[in-house]
């Protein structure tokens, strides 16, 4: 089943009919809108404000929303095209049931009855935990809360997790270990006020493009920019210092930088003694990380390590920003903690222009991990293993504490358990594990083993094609609610249109299913507003407190930063301002993990390192962005980036087909020969399915703490397969 990509005038007319007028100036003129709806981009965690133009229940375009402070009207290539997913001809408009002829449309009653019957049958035969639920971090806070409650009360399963397990969990776990709370410490408005910035493992200009503006403002104000990455990504091209770290070398690099800082006295002993714990063990550990030793482990020249310490150590103000490049590792948590060590050692946190932030990848990467859809979490960021937290939430929900399931499996572990025959049924929402989880042949085998699979989604993504029942849910603009961006700012999504045809809002599908499972009394919601009131009340007194927020306040104040524990509380844009951290003793923690190599390192058979990431025009597994023609045109297929030295050694020229092979299998993709990557590393972006999917060959080894897979490094070999697909090599 092919994905339909709209490219030509004929495509558009076939899809939308003659009501759509092609404008030779390069747009699709659908006339004047009936109204403008202030809302937010549906893609990355920056959550730029946008005004959608709506006409006759269709999103026909957009206008900038200049008053929204985060992006002030600016949008990236994905943001300006996001409106084109609405009314796409692939949009699911009715529930589908698998038959011998393929999928057939059916009624909601039939689809929901079939799903509820399958859930009951599987759970009666194999136990409650044999049915799993997988949620997503692009959905609203309301839906994240609902997913967690639905799994624990209606499905009565412990096995619920979400696709943020592939994204931000290493940062989340590290934040809690270091600070006792999981949130960026500063608003992004602090970035232009700083003196030095470390950007670690973040291809910022492609993955979170609008944040680039903040970095450039800082640079215009005199800040020095340090970029750590195996590739010279677009943001690195204008950096003052670029550290070309070997994939997997981040924790060693941080230890080396700290070693130089200690030697030169660029640490804040007073802050360390008054506000932190566990410094002596770290100080002892980094003694051996001399610049020369660190160079051996990381590939970063010793002088560059010293230079980084010289810029970072004595600065008056500094900001650390990082993303998946350091987190997608079997030591993702250790990497993040090693960078946090650099922040705590200087005491530059909790101040204007000084602090720390993880940049969330998914639209609700922050809020999606706060309200209870993680296997170890209850609403308000509570811990499912903490007896006091369990008491609070079970009482709030009106159930016995003993009826509240315990900690379940994480997302990849759920797929493993399906493959092992331990989990027999699955319901997923807005999750495409066949494209997004490593070693996808194993995911495919697991899906084929399921006795029942139900998928809630708005497009028939690659995983949903394995479903027995597909429940046609809602796009972001077809519902309303809240999300929380990468700063910790909770913002309002306003509804622009209603779902088309017989599609339903996601929350309605889940509540209807709960009713059919005999638990309707716990899910008697008429509107997301009621879910928000409940989730904010549930969060009261918890580590993540939204209880002072209302829709009206969020909208009128253009977002509120949590914690916001009372209606009159202004919210908390900057954490730790009084040097108070969220551990019981009020102190932050250093962590001393020695360097360890990746799960798979190079050897004679697989002599190169393989790494993956994003490109600017695509988003996650591409379910939305691979359907928007102009985004596809920008980067139509995955390419294998390699350095000219490596290409010469392999006899490869730009555009040649190459085969990248790991212990999981091979993919054939065109080579892109660039000087912007380490010669020992190749890179392929991961947004595509099928035979060119990068995740066919990535390694599913997990971080022992966060259970994030090691997307960012495994060993591989590369060989020439054939000449440039255009017929012979380029001149
Ligand atoms: Fe959307 Fe992120 Fe681009 Fe902003 S930066 S327009 S939120 S994809």
């Amino acid at each position: 089943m092919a994905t339909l990509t709209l490219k030509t005038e004929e495509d558009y007319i076939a899809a939308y009919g003659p009501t759509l007028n092609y404008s030779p100036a390069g747009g699709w003129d659908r006339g004047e809108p009936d109204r403008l709806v202030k809302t937010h981009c549906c893609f990355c965690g920056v959550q730029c404000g946008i005004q959608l133009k709506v006409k006759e229940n269709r999103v026909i375009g957009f206008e900038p929303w200049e008053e929204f402070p985060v992006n002030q009207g600016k949008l990236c290539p994905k943001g300006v095209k996001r409106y084109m997913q609405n009314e796409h001809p692939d949009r699911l408009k009715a529930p589908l049931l698998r038959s011998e002829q393929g999928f057939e449309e059916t009624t909601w009653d039939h689809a929901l009855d079939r799903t509820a019957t399958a859930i009951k049958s599987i759970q009666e035969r194999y136990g409650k935990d044999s049915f799993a639920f997988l949620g997503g971090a692009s959905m609203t806070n309301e839906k994240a809360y609902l997913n967690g409650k639905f799994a624990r009360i209606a499905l009565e399963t412990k096995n619920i997790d979400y696709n943020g397990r592939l994204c931000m969990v290493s940062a989340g776990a590290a934040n809690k270990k270091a600070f006792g709370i999981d949130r960026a410490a500063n608003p992004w408005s602090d970035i232009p006020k700083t003196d030095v910035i470390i950007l670690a493992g973040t291809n910022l200009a492609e993955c979170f493009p609008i944040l680039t503006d903040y970095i450039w403002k800082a640079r215009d104000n005199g800040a020095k920019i340090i970029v750590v990455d195996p590739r010279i990504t677009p943001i690195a091209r204008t950096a003052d210092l670029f550290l070309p770290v070997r994939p997997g070398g981040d924790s060693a690099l941080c230890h080396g930088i700290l070693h130089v800082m200690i030697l030169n006295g660029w640490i804040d002993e007073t802050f360390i003694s008054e506000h932190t714990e566990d410094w002596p063990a770290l100080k002892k550990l980094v003694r051996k990380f001399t610049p020369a030793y660190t160079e051996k482990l990381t590939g970063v020249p010793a002088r560059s390590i010293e230079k980084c310490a010289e810029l970072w150590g004595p600065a008056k103000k500094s900001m650390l920003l990082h993303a998946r490049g350091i987190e997608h590792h079997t030591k993702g948590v250790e990497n993040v903690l090693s960078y946090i060590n650099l922040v705590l050692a200087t005491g530059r946190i909790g101040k204007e222009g000084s602090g720390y932030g993880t940049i969330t990848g998914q639209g609700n990467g922050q809020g999606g991990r706060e309200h209870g859809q993680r296997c170890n979490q209850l609403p308000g960021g509570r811990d499912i293993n903490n007896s006091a937290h369990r008491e609070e939430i079970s009482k709030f929900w009106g159930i016995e504490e003993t009826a509240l399931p315990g900690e379940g499996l994480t997302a990849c572990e759920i797929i493993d358990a399906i493959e092992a025959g331990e989990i027999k049924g699955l319901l997923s929402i807005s999750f495409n594990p066949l494209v997004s989880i490593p070693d996808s042949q194993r995911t495919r085998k697991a899906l084929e083993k399921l006795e029942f699979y139900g998928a809630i989604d708005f497009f028939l993504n690659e995983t949903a094609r394995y479903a027995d029942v597909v429940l046609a849910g809602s796009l972001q603009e077809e519902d309303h609610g809240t999300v929380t961006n990468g700063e910790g700012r909770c913002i309002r999504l306003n509804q622009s249109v209603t779902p088309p045809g017989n599609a339903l809002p996601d929350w309605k599908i889940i509540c209807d299913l709960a009713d059919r499972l005999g638990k309707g009394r716990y899910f008697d919601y008429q509107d997301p507003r009621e879910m928000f009131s409940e989730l904010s009340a549930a969060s009261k007194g918890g580590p993540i407190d939204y209880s002072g927020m209302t829709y009206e306040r969020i909208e009128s104040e253009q977002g509120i930063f949590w914690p916001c524990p009372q209606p009159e509380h202004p919210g908390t844009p900057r954490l730790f301002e009084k040097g108070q951290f969220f551990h019981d003793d009020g102190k932050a923690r250093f962590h001393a993990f020695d360097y360890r190599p990746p799960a798979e390192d190079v050897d004679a058979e697989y002599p190169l390192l393989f790494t993956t990431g994003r490109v600017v025009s695509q988003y996650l597994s591409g379910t939305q962005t691979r359907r928007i023609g102009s985004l596809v045109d920008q980067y139509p297929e995955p390419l294998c980036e390699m350095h000219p030295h490596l290409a010469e050694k392999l006899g490869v020229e730009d555009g040649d087909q190459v085969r990248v092979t790991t212990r999981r299998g091979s993919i054939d993709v065109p080579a892109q020969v660039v000087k912007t990557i380490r010669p020992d590393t190749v890179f392929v972006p991961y947004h595509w399915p099928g035979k060119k999917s990068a995740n066919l060959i990535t390694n599913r080894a997990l971080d022992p703490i966060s259970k994030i897979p090691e997307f960012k490094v495994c060993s591989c070999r590369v060989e020439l397969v054939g000449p440039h697909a255009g017929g012979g090599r380029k001149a």
Side-chain angles (χ1 to χ4, degrees):
M1 203 176 304
T3 297
L4 178 59
T5 302
L6 301 180
K7 287 191 171 184
T8 66
E9 183 176 355
E10 288 72 32
D11 290 341
Y12 278 81
I13 290 170
Y16 297 123
T19 57
L20 186 73
N21 300 315
Y22 177 66
S23 155
W28 295 93
D29 176 12
R30 298 185 185 179
E32 285 303 303
D34 303 332
R35 59 200 170 95
L36 286 174
V37 179
K38 286 186 167 65
T39 187
H40 295 272
C41 177
C42 56
F43 297 129
C44 85
V46 182
Q47 285 298 289
C48 295
I50 188 170
Q51 301 190 85
L52 293 182
K53 289 163 128 179
V54 178
K55 183 178 185 180
E56 295 166 4
N57 204 35
R58 290 173 163 191
V59 178
I60 61 167
F62 74 95
E63 280 196 3
W65 178 11
E66 292 177 0
E67 297 77 34
F68 185 66
V70 171
N71 60 314
Q72 298 173 336
K74 293 182 273 294
L75 294 165
C76 81
K78 286 189 289 292
V80 298
K81 300 293 179 193
R82 54 91 66 220
Y83 75 94
M84 296 174 81
Q85 64 178 339
N86 189 256
E87 286 269 317
H88 191 286
D90 283 356
R91 177 75 173 83
L92 297 173
K93 294 181 182 166
L96 305 176
L97 202 62
R98 178 179 295 286
S99 73
E100 288 189 356
Q101 287 73 45
F103 284 117
E104 287 175 356
E105 289 195 4
T106 186
T107 64
W108 275 109
D109 271 345
H110 191 183
L112 292 169
D113 282 344
R114 167 88 172 82
T115 304
T117 303
I119 293 168
K120 285 181 204 165
S121 164
I122 285 173
Q123 291 189 318
E124 273 165 23
R125 284 179 290 135
Y126 307 110
K128 296 288 186 189
D129 295 332
S130 65
F131 201 94
F133 186 99
L134 288 173
S138 291
M139 293 185 288
T140 59
N141 293 325
E142 290 78 355
K143 286 189 259 183
Y145 174 80
L146 183 67
N147 290 348
K149 186 175 174 186
F150 173 78
R152 272 71 181 237
I153 293 183
L155 292 176
E156 300 174 82
T157 181
K158 66 179 182 180
N159 290 320
I160 169 172
D161 209 45
Y162 79 133
N163 65 10
R165 188 65 60 187
L166 314 178
C167 250
M168 282 77 60
V169 285
S170 293
N175 291 345
K176 287 202 66 177
K177 280 180 173 293
F179 306 125
I181 193 169
D182 174 18
R183 209 206 86 182
N186 299 64
W188 291 326
S189 56
D190 270 359
I191 296 172
K193 298 171 186 164
T194 198
D195 295 335
V196 59
I197 302 171
I198 290 182
L199 296 169
T202 170
N203 178 7
L204 194 92
E206 292 203 75
C207 305
F208 324 99
I210 295 304
L211 278 191
T212 312
D213 194 49
Y214 287 79
I215 305 297
W216 283 345
K217 277 187 186 139
R219 197 185 52 188
D220 290 347
N221 293 337
K224 300 292 182 195
I225 315 297
I226 301 164
V227 174
V228 186
D229 205 291
R231 299 190 302 144
I232 305 174
T233 57
I235 193 75
R237 289 171 203 159
T238 55
D240 296 278
L241 180 65
F242 172 66
L243 306 182
V245 67
R246 186 179 192 268
D250 286 279
S251 57
L253 178 63
C254 292
H255 295 343
I257 295 166
L258 190 57
H259 174 100
V260 179
M261 286 166 59
I262 292 170
L263 278 186
N264 287 279
W266 291 324
I267 53 169
D268 185 337
E269 296 279 9
T270 308
F271 177 88
I272 290 171
S273 72
E274 289 178 3
H275 299 289
T276 70
E277 290 287 341
D278 304 330
W279 170 246
L282 178 63
K283 195 172 171 186
K284 186 170 169 211
L285 171 71
V286 303
R287 256 183 227 143
K288 70 180 178 191
F289 284 85
T290 61
Y293 176 59
T294 307
E295 177 177 332
K296 271 194 200 135
L297 295 176
T298 66
V300 177
R303 179 63 197 122
S304 297
I305 295 163
E306 290 166 347
K307 178 84 179 148
C308 181
E310 286 162 15
L311 289 173
W312 179 264
K316 291 209 161 34
K317 292 190 268 183
S318 58
M319 291 283 292
L320 165 67
L321 297 169
H322 64 83
R324 308 302 83 74
I326 68 166
E327 300 161 23
H328 275 161
H329 293 269
T330 47
K331 53 181 190 294
V333 178
E334 293 166 32
N335 286 343
V336 178
L337 287 167
S338 302
Y339 278 100
I340 290 174
N341 287 339
L342 298 181
V343 175
L344 291 175
T346 64
R348 294 193 299 258
I349 189 162
K351 299 169 187 158
E352 187 178 67
S354 280
Y356 156 88
T358 177
I359 305 170
T360 48
Q362 297 197 65
N364 198 21
Q366 181 66 43
R369 69 182 196 244
E370 295 174 347
H371 305 290
Q373 67 170 331
R374 291 163 56 175
C375 63
N376 55 352
Q377 187 197 55
L378 292 170
R382 289 182 178 85
D383 179 356
I384 205 161
N385 295 311
N386 178 312
S387 53
H389 289 181
R390 292 175 60 83
E391 276 296 338
E392 283 167 350
I393 291 301
S394 50
K395 193 168 162 207
F396 184 85
W397 281 344
I399 61 171
E400 292 295 324
E401 188 274 329
T402 48
L404 190 60
E407 179 172 348
L409 298 173
T410 60
C412 292
E413 291 171 329
I414 285 174
I415 301 296
D416 291 348
I418 295 169
E419 192 185 4
E422 290 154 13
I423 288 179
K424 306 284 189 183
L426 175 68
L427 184 65
S428 72
I429 177 165
S430 297
F431 192 174
N432 193 5
L434 192 55
V435 182
S436 55
I437 285 185
D439 203 353
S440 36
Q441 287 296 16
R442 285 183 56 203
T443 309
R444 190 183 308 280
K445 278 188 208 142
L447 291 169
E448 285 166 355
K449 273 189 133 172
L450 281 167
E451 287 192 17
F452 175 82
Y453 173 33
I456 305 174
D457 225 313
F458 39 79
F459 291 125
L460 194 64
N461 68 42
E462 288 72 19
T463 312
R465 291 170 194 181
Y466 285 77
D468 299 285
V469 178
V470 180
L471 303 166
S474 46
L475 277 165
Q476 185 232 38
E477 55 264 40
E478 295 164 0
D479 198 359
H480 72 107
T482 60
V483 293
T484 303
N485 77 355
E487 303 167 287
R489 181 197 299 253
C490 180
I491 51 179
R492 269 286 279 147
L493 300 179
N494 284 308
Q495 184 169 7
S496 303
V497 293
T498 54
N502 282 331
L504 287 175
D506 295 329
W507 62 267
K508 184 105 183 42
I509 298 169
I510 290 173
C511 293
D512 283 357
L513 264 180
D515 193 34
R516 281 169 165 81
L517 293 170
K519 297 295 170 66
R521 65 188 181 283
Y522 298 99
F523 297 88
D524 187 22
Y525 306 109
Q526 304 305 313
D527 188 86
R529 179 183 288 271
E530 294 172 8
M531 283 174 246
F532 186 79
S533 298
E534 187 176 308
L535 87 81
S536 56
S539 75
K540 190 167 184 57
I544 297 173
D545 196 330
Y546 279 52
S547 60
M549 297 188 200
T550 61
Y551 277 4
E552 288 70 24
R553 270 197 71 190
I554 294 167
E555 205 146 8
S556 70
E557 295 172 34
Q558 295 192 316
I560 300 175
F561 292 78
W562 67 266
C564 178
Q566 291 101 26
E568 60 281 0
H569 191 284
T572 315
R574 191 178 298 115
L575 296 173
F576 322 133
E577 283 197 297
K578 295 184 180 129
Q580 278 293 307
F581 296 90
F582 286 70
H583 288 299
D584 287 345
D585 60 4
K587 293 186 175 182
R589 301 284 189 274
F590 284 102
H591 288 84
F593 290 102
D594 204 350
Y595 168 77
R596 59 189 172 94
E600 239 181 51
D601 216 335
V602 294
D603 57 21
E605 201 179 350
Y606 299 99
L608 295 167
L609 294 170
F610 179 66
T611 191
T612 65
R614 298 201 208 179
V615 296
V616 68
S617 56
Q618 291 294 316
Y619 177 66
L620 304 184
S621 70
T623 300
Q624 292 151 283
T625 45
R626 281 188 280 108
R627 287 183 162 85
I628 298 175
S630 51
L631 295 179
V632 173
D633 285 345
Q634 278 189 45
Y635 201 112
E637 61 177 334
L639 304 173
C640 177
E641 280 187 17
M642 65 174 70
H643 192 276
H645 291 171
L646 175 62
E648 190 183 354
K649 207 163 128 193
L650 299 172
V652 170
E653 293 185 13
D654 191 49
D656 283 347
Q657 281 289 114
V658 294
R659 179 163 300 151
V660 186
T661 303
T662 72
R663 289 183 171 83
R664 269 73 49 201
S666 300
I667 54 173
D668 290 359
V669 289
Q672 187 176 39
V673 180
V674 291
K675 290 181 184 161
T676 51
I677 187 166
R678 289 174 56 93
D680 60 1
T681 302
V682 296
F683 166 89
V684 178
Y686 62 67
H687 310 285
W688 286 269
K691 292 182 178 170
K692 294 184 175 185
S693 177
N695 280 325
L696 269 172
I697 61 171
T698 45
N699 190 359
R700 201 183 283 184
L702 303 180
D703 179 296
I705 300 167
S706 69
K707 304 292 175 83
I708 207 168
E710 192 147 68
F711 290 103
K712 287 294 183 279
V713 56
C714 65
S715 56
C716 76
R717 65 171 178 269
V718 179
E719 60 205 307
L720 177 67
V721 175
H724 183 253
R729 291 178 172 180
K730 287 178 180 174

